[in-house]
């Protein structure tokens, strides 16, 4: 049972992992994007429609990424260039996405497509216990592993990462150095929207194989919470994403085993466990980007 829960958690956690890294980069640049949920919804619906219509899942993911980025572009244009309130604008973009996807996706409710094919990694997948948990998944899960290392490398080992982090701390210093901080922030928001769209696409065509209105079920807001409680660190952001996935997996396994647990408790279990764990983790030494606090006070 433990192997099933952990393996399922890695898969489900990837739905949050990619948007979480997108939001991490966005917040490192000094912007809090509450429209992550909207980007995930747009990505989920668009990917499902394209994949079902064309039969090509690669096109589905590309379309989902573009849809997520489009929502982020609306948000970013308002908050970066017009200096609109980030929290209010994020909520408006979420409501807008929820309404549009509910209307457009109404005719697709209940329709199904095949989920992504599992690819076992030769050699690694045969390792006792760990092989089943980490190396018997689809290609998007493996992409998530790469994303962990790539995000850490980008933020802490490259000049681009230094500029992003500098923008989140002192925009004026970045401007004086010859870089336009507004463009850095807008690019970070677009990147966050793209990854959120991919996360939504993975939920609809990779995990569940169907579309349902508001199917993200608040995942976008959990993403924002994960990034904040992780202390804006890559390792804890990844841990929080997978922990949430494992909590969902555990609830499903308990139901499948016929264990008598209150349904409302099962539904809330992933949120409770993840937030408690991240709150405890946030007690370690971590500091919010200074520009993030200033921007939220606008």
């Amino acid at each position: 049972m433990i192997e099933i829960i952990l393996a399922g958690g890695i898969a489900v956690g990837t739905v949050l992992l990619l948007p979480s890294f997108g939001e991490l980069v966005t917040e490192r640049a000094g912007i809090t994007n509450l429209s992550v949920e909207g980007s995930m919804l747009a990505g989920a619906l668009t990917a499902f429609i394209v994949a079902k219509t064309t039969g090509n899942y690669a096109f589905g993911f590309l379309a989902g990424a573009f849809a997520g980025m489009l929502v982020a572009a609306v948000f970013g244009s308002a908050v970066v260039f017009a200096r609109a309130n980030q929290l209010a604008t994020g909520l408006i973009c979420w409501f807008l996405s929820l309404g549009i996807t509910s209307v457009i996706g109404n005719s697709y409710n209940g329709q199904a497509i095949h989920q992504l094919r599992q690819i076992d990694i030769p050699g690694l997948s045969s390792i006792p216990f760990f092989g089943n948990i980490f190396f018997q998944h689809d290609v998007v899960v493996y992409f998530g592993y790469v994303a962990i290392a790539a995000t850490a490398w980008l933020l802490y080992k490259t000049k681009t990462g230094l500029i992003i982090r500098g923008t989140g701390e002192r925009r004026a210093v970045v401007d004086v150095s010859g870089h336009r901080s507004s463009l850095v922030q807008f690019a970070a928001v677009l990147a966050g929207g793209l990854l959120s769209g991919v996360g939504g696409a993975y939920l609809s065509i990779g995990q569940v194989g169907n579309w349902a209105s508001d199917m993200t079920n608040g995942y976008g807001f959990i993403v924002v919470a994960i990034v904040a409680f992780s202390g804006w660190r890559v390792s804890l952001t990844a841990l929080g994403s997978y922990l949430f996935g494992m909590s969902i997996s555990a609830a499903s396994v308990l139901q499948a085993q016929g264990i008598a647990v209150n349904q409302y408790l099962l539904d809330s279990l992933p949120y409770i466990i993840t937030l408690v764990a991240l709150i405890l983790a946030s007690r370690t030494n971590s500091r919010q980007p200074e520009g993030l606090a200033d921007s939220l006070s606008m």
Side-chain angles (χ1 to χ4, degrees), residues 48-66:
F48 182 81
I49 293 175
V50 172
K52 185 169 181 61
T53 302
T54 66
N56 190 311
Y57 283 50
F59 287 166
F61 275 105
L62 288 173
F66 178 78

Side-chain angles (χ1 to χ4, degrees), residues 26 137 157 166 169 209 211 217 273:
T26 301
H137 294 285
K157 299 296 183 181
E169 295 289 345
W211 160 259
N217 197 32
I273 292 178

